[in-house]
Amino acid sequence: MLTMDLSNLVELLHDNKCSCVIYNQGNVTLCHERGVKDLFRILKTDPDLLNNAMIADKVIGKGAAVLLMLGGVKTVYADVISRPALELLSTAAVSVDYGECVPNIINRAGTGICPVEKLCMDCKTAEECLPLIKGFISTLE
């Protein structure tokens, strides 16, 4: 069985230019989709992959934090994490390490707040955010 620690996951994240790396029960999953698409798909189709997993991600906003929480992830590293995401993960006893904490995740154009972060902004719980994220993902397909 393959054994990894968080520093190994971060190295894989950067070396393979992934958006996210998931380690669970000796298996490593490399994700390359932009935004929350991979995490949303995994939560819906293979939720056991997230349960008790260790994750390294480039960017975690509140939307990604919701999906990680609902999936039961235990340990998270983010190159960049938003303050709302960090606060939400702290309510779920998720161990979080990060490179930089920012007020909000900015959209790709650099013109404002990330659309998913903005959608989830006023939600108090992960359960409130999930239908909003699902609606957003459905507009991308």
Side-chain angles (χ1 to χ4, degrees):
M1 180 181 281
L2 181 65
T3 303
M4 302 284 277
D5 64 19
L6 202 51
S7 64
N8 297 134
L9 282 191
V10 173
E11 190 174 315
L12 280 173
L13 176 75
H14 297 141
D15 289 352
N16 292 286
K17 296 177 177 35
C18 298
S19 57
C20 177
V21 178
I22 303 166
Y23 173 73
N24 197 347
Q25 297 180 6
N27 298 306
V28 174
T29 302
L30 305 178
C31 301
H32 293 90
E33 290 277 354
R34 295 167 72 167
V36 296
K37 287 172 73 175
D38 277 324
L39 291 175
F40 182 79
R41 177 185 45 76
I42 291 167
L43 182 64
K44 289 297 170 199
T45 63
D46 191 9
D48 289 342
L49 185 58
L50 297 176
N51 192 36
N52 292 313
M54 184 169 40
I55 305 276
D57 201 315
K58 285 186 350 188
V59 178
I60 297 180
K62 191 170 180 180
V66 161
L67 300 173
L68 296 172
M69 277 181 63
L70 293 175
V73 169
K74 290 297 177 208
T75 305
V76 171
Y77 167 83
D79 284 338
V80 177
I81 191 166
S82 72
R83 173 77 44 212
L86 188 57
E87 290 170 359
L88 189 63
L89 290 170
S90 71
T91 68
V94 176
S95 172
V96 180
D97 192 13
Y98 56 88
E100 181 182 7
C101 183
V102 296
N104 292 104
I105 301 304
I106 302 302
N107 64 25
R108 287 187 188 93
T111 58
I113 295 175
C114 158
V116 176
E117 182 108 335
K118 197 171 189 174
L119 273 177
C120 298
M121 191 176 286
D122 295 327
C123 296
K124 301 291 184 230
T125 66
E127 292 75 15
E128 286 177 76
C129 295
L130 189 58
L132 302 175
I133 296 168
K134 182 178 182 178
F136 177 78
I137 295 285
S138 71
T139 67
L140 302 177
E141 298 170 346

